[in-house]
Amino acid sequence: DADVTQTPRNRITKTGKRIMLECSQTKGHDRMYWYRQDPGLGLRLIYYSFDVKDINKGEISDGYSVSRQAQAKFSLSLESAIPNQTALYFCATSDPGLAGVEAQYFGPGTRLTVL
Amino acid sequence: EDKVVQSPLSLVVHEGDTVTLNCSYEVTNFRSLLWYKQEKKAPTFLFMLTSSGIEKKSGRLSSILDKKELFSILNITATQTGDSAIYLCSTAGGTSYGKLTFGQGTILTVHP
């Protein structure tokens, strides 16, 4: 079984709809992240959480919200989807390890299309 | 604002060629540089570099960091079609531990 899972894997929705993307992990990591990927722009951080009570905005949080329901679960919501939120969304996890030095492990991604 | 720039943005080679991918960065309180390979979907971790001049190697892939000139290179020797992917460079730094800043990625295509 995959360590980081995302549901759904693909989603097509209409402008104005509320959408939730879910992420679960079995790695036991405290830290979880949501990114979006657009062609030519690499990965951009939307929100991140270092533990259940800690939620932080990333560089492109406008139009998104998150919920950390448990150590293993981190969901991303689009309150009112718009077409420029069409992208590939990744969840990632990490473990502190050496202070400040840590690799992130990514889920398989969710391809979201907003019409 | 932290910045990571990769070059070239895309590269097409033939099997057996050697390629060098570049990553330059401007990061406050730099701690590490990480390379990822993305095939079809999820990025997978390749290397983490924290010290200058020490080469990390895994099979045909190797990488080195220059903290004075603020760049890293990823070399792939004797390329194979399975090396075709997007290669992402990222850095960890700043005051918030755990956050990574990613470059745009280099799209590598290896033809038979």
Side-chain angles (χ1 to χ4, degrees):
Chain A
D1 287 341
D3 294 318
V4 184
T5 57
Q6 293 182 231
T7 56
R9 297 291 306 277
N10 288 283
R11 180 73 184 266
I12 300 173
T13 191
K14 293 182 178 179
T15 297
K17 294 290 187 183
R18 185 177 189 275
I19 295 297
M20 179 179 285
L21 309 182
E22 299 188 351
C23 177
S24 294
Q25 53 116 344
T26 58
K27 297 183 79 67
H29 289 170
D30 285 327
R31 300 181 177 187
M32 298 186 74
Y33 310 81
W34 276 105
Y35 292 90
R36 65 176 280 174
Q37 186 175 36
D38 300 276
L41 294 178
L43 290 164
R44 293 183 291 165
L45 183 63
I46 306 172
Y47 271 95
Y48 61 104
S49 169
F50 284 176
D51 64 43
V52 175
K53 296 181 182 178
D54 175 79
I55 300 287
N56 304 280
K57 292 183 178 181
E59 58 182 303
I60 52 163
S61 59
D62 286 349
Y64 302 95
S65 63
V66 291
S67 173
R68 184 81 184 267
Q69 300 94 324
Q71 186 209 34
K73 295 183 183 296
F74 192 36
S75 58
L76 175 72
S77 293
L78 287 67
E79 298 302 325
S80 180
I82 55 177
N84 76 1
Q85 291 177 313
T86 293
L88 187 55
Y89 289 85
F90 287 105
C91 174
T93 73
S94 70
D95 189 57
L98 295 172
V101 178
E102 54 192 77
Q104 293 183 11
Y105 298 90
F106 288 80
T110 294
R111 183 163 295 284
L112 177 66
T113 303
V114 183
L115 301 176
Chain B
E1 184 180 320
D2 294 345
K3 191 174 177 184
V4 178
V5 177
Q6 293 184 243
S7 64
L9 294 182
S10 66
L11 190 55
V12 180
V13 300
H14 287 93
E15 273 193 320
D17 289 348
T18 293
V19 298
T20 298
L21 310 184
N22 303 292
C23 176
S24 63
Y25 62 89
E26 295 173 22
V27 177
T28 305
N29 298 323
F30 173 87
R31 289 189 295 279
S32 61
L33 185 143
L34 300 92
W35 284 97
Y36 286 83
K37 177 183 182 182
Q38 185 178 14
E39 298 173 89
K40 298 192 193 307
K41 279 293 179 76
T44 54
F45 172 72
L46 291 174
F47 297 113
M48 183 189 302
L49 302 149
T50 57
S51 302
S52 273
I54 298 176
E55 185 183 54
K56 289 279 182 97
K57 202 169 169 63
S58 176
R60 295 176 294 101
L61 278 65
S62 63
S63 183
I64 198 160
L65 174 68
D66 186 327
K67 290 168 76 172
K68 182 178 177 185
E69 299 298 329
L70 307 183
F71 77 90
S72 173
I73 59 172
L74 175 67
N75 279 320
I76 309 175
T77 59
T79 51
Q80 301 171 357
T81 55
D83 295 325
S84 296
I86 301 172
Y87 290 84
L88 296 164
C89 174
S90 64
T91 58
T95 56
S96 184
Y97 285 77
K99 285 177 60 182
L100 296 179
T101 300
F102 283 85
Q104 323 94 301
T106 294
I107 303 171
L108 174 65
T109 304
V110 182
H111 288 310

